[in-house]
Amino acid sequence: DGGITQSPKYLFRKEGQNVTLSCEQNLNHDAMYWYRQDPGQGLRLIYYSQIVNDFQKGDIAEGYSVSREKKESFPLTVTSAQKHPTAFYLCASSTWGLTSGSEGDTQYFGPGTRLTVL
Amino acid sequence: AQSVTQLGSHVSVSEGALVLLRCNYSSSVPPYLFWYVQYPNQGLQLLLKYTSAATLVKGINGFEAEFKKSETSFHLTKPSAHMSDAAEYFCAVGSYGKLTFGQGTILTVHP
């Protein structure tokens, strides 16, 4: 089955600690995205990548870093500079770059990782 | 710049009643519009999307949405609510590979 996997499902971080969230897809999609979800605020874009070895900052990139060394993988590191409390992190992918219009804009989501700051 | 406004952060209906979730958008170009559903502690699942082929779009689980350009709206409806419809619903507008989401509407269904 094709899809997007995120691990771990639950993650705990102490203040001052860096942690990395994993996102893998086997959909052969070129574009991948990271969102943070806070109650009552919808989803906000952290970083996105439309091709291997290239990525762009989203609306709330401060305190986060990413890499895109392989098409299938787009890990997100939450650094010690990130002061935000507990949040739900979602990874997504799309065919943008291979297709355009509504098909290219359609994003498919993983199951999410809940990060708790201790 | 694009934006999405979902009117009503919480909507409560009785089982069997009409579901209406409101979404208004702002876009400088013809929009691609989406509705997603999220169950607790899960990712988002695509319900339906507007592609400009038809103004009335049918999605999964009996949901549909109508694109009204004059009202800049893309409201989501379902004729008869089921208990399993209880979830959070997000409207989004897409452009050049990126989505802008509304703040979400939590749907509660009472027996």
Side-chain angles (χ1 to χ4, degrees):
Chain A
D1 279 343
I4 302 175
T5 57
Q6 291 186 241
S7 62
K9 187 170 178 63
Y10 300 96
L11 186 59
F12 299 89
R13 178 173 79 96
K14 296 179 181 179
E15 284 194 15
Q17 184 180 38
N18 293 358
V19 293
T20 298
L21 284 63
S22 171
C23 177
E24 303 275 335
Q25 56 98 359
N26 61 4
L27 300 168
N28 199 34
H29 287 174
D30 282 313
M32 296 186 73
Y33 311 81
W34 274 105
Y35 294 91
R36 190 179 81 205
Q37 184 177 17
D38 302 298
Q41 297 193 48
L43 279 72
R44 288 184 287 176
L45 184 64
I46 305 172
Y47 269 97
Y48 63 102
S49 168
Q50 295 184 326
I51 196 168
V52 173
N53 292 322
D54 186 52
F55 47 83
Q56 307 295 327
K57 292 182 178 180
D59 302 318
I60 56 167
E62 185 177 352
Y64 300 97
S65 66
V66 293
S67 63
R68 187 84 187 278
E69 298 177 359
K70 298 187 301 182
K71 186 175 184 178
E72 302 80 15
S73 178
F74 191 40
L76 173 74
T77 296
V78 184
T79 74
S80 57
Q82 174 49 248
K83 303 301 182 186
H84 199 80
T86 296
F88 195 51
Y89 289 84
L90 287 161
C91 179
S93 69
S94 78
T95 59
W96 183 258
L98 185 63
T99 61
S100 60
S102 66
E103 187 58 37
D105 284 350
T106 304
Q107 293 183 18
Y108 300 89
F109 285 80
T113 293
R114 184 165 299 280
L115 176 61
T116 301
V117 178
L118 301 175
Chain B
Q2 300 180 107
S3 65
V4 174
T5 301
Q6 292 184 238
L7 299 175
S9 58
H10 290 81
V11 170
S12 181
V13 300
S14 298
E15 192 173 18
L18 171 72
V19 175
L20 171 61
L21 305 182
R22 300 178 186 274
C23 172
N24 288 90
Y25 70 91
S26 172
S27 175
S28 57
V29 297
Y32 297 116
L33 294 161
F34 304 81
W35 275 101
Y36 286 86
V37 60
Q38 184 181 34
Y39 299 99
N41 294 312
Q42 294 186 26
L44 274 65
Q45 179 183 5
L46 181 67
L47 268 180
L48 51 80
K49 62 183 178 182
Y50 169 67
T51 64
S52 76
T55 56
L56 183 63
V57 182
K58 294 189 183 298
I60 62 172
N61 301 338
F63 284 93
E64 62 182 35
E66 186 172 9
F67 173 68
K68 292 187 176 181
K69 184 177 179 180
S70 61
E71 299 177 8
T72 61
S73 69
F74 190 55
H75 301 332
L76 183 71
T77 60
K78 182 174 181 178
S80 177
H82 193 273
M83 296 295 289
S84 61
D85 294 327
E88 188 163 16
Y89 292 80
F90 291 94
C91 182
V93 59
S95 179
Y96 299 107
K98 293 170 64 178
L99 292 178
T100 300
F101 287 87
Q103 294 183 327
T105 298
I106 295 173
L107 175 66
T108 303
V109 182
H110 297 287

